[in-house]
Amino acid sequence: MENVKSFILKDICKSFGEKSVLLGINLSFARGKVYALLGENGSGKSTLAKIISGEIKADSGKIFGISENSENSEYQIELKINSPKDSLKYKIGIVSQNPTVCKDLQVWENIFLGDGKTLSPFFANKKKFLGQIENQLFDLGFSLDLQKKGKDCRASEKFFVCLARALFLEKDILILDEPTASLSKNEKEILFSIIERFKNAGKIIILITHHKKEAISLSDEIVFLQKEKSPIIGEEARKKLGDFREDFENVG
């Protein structure tokens, strides 16, 4: 999806057995904005994220992308996302609530996993290639031991490995599912800075969180999912958020 301006969810439905999780979800997400996605346990936040990223398939509904061509004319295409491979094609990235890495691969290999084109410089000059990665990470505000095996990484390191993968592969849409769960205060500040940079670069960020302060301070729009009902958005969503204490317990 080239020069993405926005993407739209139309009538997205998903059930697991007899349990309906998402019922006719209609939402739009615009370039250069952060969207906080909240809701009580069972409202379908993570399910919706997995549908957008291709990890699971919706029972019905469609996803559309609005893009611009070189003449700045808009055109709409249906995004057929049936697998994570499809989401790669549309430049959609997700860092899950419990990010996983390949335990037997080194950090640098995990960052570029599945992207042979990006890895090609490595085979020509490993030292130069790793140095370029370190410089890019430093520019983002954090560092990683690139030679470390995935199995030896702490939870927060796994998060930043997966985040680096999404950023290095130039995603236009980035979904972060409870990203601060394993992060220290300093690591959270680094993440918040990266989110701001990603937003300023004209990307779309969907932040799934149960932290009111994070949702309010980081997002341009709040989307509050409800069980088997239409989402609440805008000012009504902010008012709805006010009904909960700082970290409301039900966060599914």
Side-chain angles (χ1 to χ4, degrees):
M1 191 163 53
E2 199 168 326
N3 297 319
V4 60
K5 186 173 182 180
S6 62
F7 80 104
I8 300 168
L9 309 179
K10 294 194 71 173
D11 298 321
I12 299 295
C13 296
K14 181 64 182 178
S15 297
F16 295 99
E18 296 183 355
K19 182 181 179 182
S20 178
V21 179
L22 299 173
L23 186 62
I25 299 297
N26 293 282
L27 292 170
S28 62
F29 302 89
R31 180 171 60 192
K33 286 190 175 183
V34 179
Y35 294 83
L37 192 61
L38 302 104
E40 294 179 299
N41 188 40
S43 60
K45 303 185 299 298
S46 293
T47 298
L48 187 61
K50 290 177 180 178
I51 289 172
I52 297 171
S53 63
E55 293 186 21
I56 60 175
K57 188 176 179 180
D59 297 331
S60 60
K62 295 181 178 181
I63 301 177
F64 295 94
I66 309 296
S67 297
E68 292 177 340
N69 58 26
S70 57
E71 288 79 32
N72 295 323
S73 297
E74 292 185 3
Y75 62 95
Q76 177 177 295
I77 60 171
E78 182 180 349
L79 310 184
K80 297 185 180 294
I81 304 175
N82 299 311
S83 70
K85 185 176 180 180
D86 292 329
S87 70
L88 286 174
K89 179 172 63 176
Y90 297 123
K91 295 187 176 182
I92 299 170
I94 183 170
V95 182
S96 301
Q97 184 172 356
N98 298 302
T100 57
V101 298
C102 292
K103 63 180 182 179
D104 293 324
L105 295 182
Q106 292 179 320
V107 163
W108 72 267
E109 292 173 304
N110 271 286
I111 290 175
F112 293 102
L113 191 63
D115 189 58
K117 182 179 179 181
T118 303
L119 280 178
S120 59
F122 166 76
F123 299 103
N125 191 327
K126 178 180 178 179
K127 185 176 180 180
K128 180 179 178 180
F129 182 66
L130 296 183
Q132 289 174 341
I133 300 174
E134 288 175 343
N135 289 336
Q136 287 177 291
L137 292 176
F138 180 80
D139 185 56
L140 290 169
F142 65 98
S143 62
L144 291 167
D145 181 351
L146 299 178
Q147 308 284 3
K148 196 172 188 177
K149 288 289 186 71
K151 62 184 178 182
D152 298 321
C153 290
R154 304 187 313 273
S156 62
E157 290 175 316
K158 291 178 182 179
F159 169 81
F160 279 107
V161 169
C162 294
L163 179 62
R165 181 189 301 154
L167 296 176
F168 281 14
L169 297 184
E170 299 180 338
K171 302 301 184 184
D172 286 330
I173 300 165
L174 179 62
I175 304 168
L176 302 174
D177 191 352
E178 297 291 348
T180 61
S182 64
L183 304 186
S184 66
K185 182 178 179 180
N186 182 58
E187 289 169 333
K188 289 178 184 179
E189 292 301 320
I190 292 171
L191 171 62
F192 298 159
S193 176
I194 291 173
I195 289 174
E196 185 68 18
R197 289 182 58 167
F198 203 71
K199 167 187 169 179
N200 292 338
K203 311 298 185 179
I204 297 169
I205 305 97
I206 300 174
L207 175 66
I208 300 175
T209 181
H210 66 283
H211 295 284
K212 282 170 51 173
K213 287 184 178 179
E214 288 180 10
I216 292 170
S217 64
L218 293 173
S219 69
D220 299 287
E221 300 283 349
I222 289 178
V223 178
F224 204 98
L225 292 186
Q226 304 182 98
K227 298 178 184 178
E228 299 185 10
K229 295 181 182 179
S230 297
I232 302 173
I233 59 176
E235 288 304 312
E236 288 188 24
R238 291 183 182 271
K239 292 177 182 177
K240 179 74 173 179
L241 187 57
D243 294 338
F244 294 90
R245 63 183 178 79
E246 168 50 28
D247 297 321
F248 50 93
E249 293 178 0
N250 298 318
V251 294

